[in-house]
Amino acid sequence: MTTSNLQPVIELKQKFANYWHGLAARERLLLALAGSLLLIWTVVFGIIKPVQQAEQQAYQKLQNSRSTFEQASAAAAEIVQLRTISGNQQALIDANQPLDALVSKLAAKAGIPVKGLSQQQNSLQIKVDTLRFADLLTWLKTLKANGIVIETVELGRTAQSGMVEIKQLRVSREGDY
C-alpha cells in the first residue's frame, strides 16, 4: 500500500493520540479499564460460553445415542431369543386360521392397537401404534408361541420413556419364509 492510501489511517491514529493525551490520567485509566472489561466480556460470552454450550449439547446427544443403542441391543437380544424358542409351545389360538386373522386376534387379545395389515407374498406387514416396549415383547412371544415367525422388527425411540415406535414389523408362518 502506498502512503496516500494510508493517509486516512495515519490521520485517525493522530487524532486518537491527541484525544488520548488530552485526557486526564484518571480518565485514561478508567477508559483502559472499561476497554479491558469489554474485551474480557466479549471473549467469555462470545467464545467460551458458546463453546461450552456446544460441548454440552454434543454430550447430551452422545448420551441419547448410547441409551438408544442400549435399548436396541436389548431388543435385538430379546428378538434373537424369541427366534430360538422351540416351536413346542402350545398354541393359544387355532393356528389354522389365515395369518392376518391370527395376528389380528392375538393383537386384540394382547391389547395391541393394530393400524393395518398388508399381505406380501408369504409374509404379513403389520402397522402398529406406539406402545410400551414390554407389551411389544410379550406380544412377540405370543406370536412365536402360535407358530408365527418374526422376520423383521424395526423400532424407533419416542419422547416418552418405555414407549417404542414400530417402524416396521413383518411376520410369516413357520416354514413359509
Side-chain angles (χ1 to χ4, degrees), residues 23-154:
L23 295 174
R26 181 178 42 175
E27 292 171 333
R28 284 193 298 253
L29 180 63
L30 185 61
L31 282 176
L33 183 61
S36 299
L37 289 175
L38 180 64
L39 179 65
I40 291 170
W41 185 87
T42 303
V43 168
V44 168
F45 290 100
I47 298 171
I48 295 173
K49 289 290 183 180
V51 169
Q52 286 176 338
Q53 288 175 345
E55 180 184 20
Q56 287 175 343
Q57 289 173 347
Y59 181 75
Q60 186 64 36
K61 284 182 181 178
L62 176 64
Q63 292 299 351
N64 290 343
S65 296
R66 284 181 178 166
S67 175
T68 301
F69 175 74
E70 288 170 3
Q71 286 181 345
S73 295
E78 186 71 26
I79 289 169
V80 167
Q81 183 182 13
L82 287 172
R83 285 186 174 178
T84 58
I85 293 175
S86 68
N88 296 338
Q89 296 175 334
Q90 183 179 356
L92 302 175
I93 295 179
D94 182 16
N96 294 326
Q97 300 179 50
L99 183 59
D100 56 346
L102 182 58
V103 168
S104 293
K105 285 183 181 179
L106 291 171
K109 187 172 184 175
I112 305 293
V114 175
K115 290 195 301 188
L117 301 169
S118 61
Q119 189 78 32
Q120 297 173 348
Q121 295 176 348
N122 292 335
S123 64
L124 185 66
Q125 180 77 29
I126 306 169
K127 293 184 178 161
V128 181
D129 281 331
T130 301
L131 65 137
R132 286 188 31 228
F133 184 68
D135 294 343
L136 174 65
L137 290 180
T138 302
W139 183 48
L140 292 176
K141 288 178 184 178
T142 303
L143 291 174
K144 179 66 177 166
N146 282 279
I148 298 173
V149 176
I150 293 90
E151 292 180 1
T152 306
V153 176
E154 186 177 333

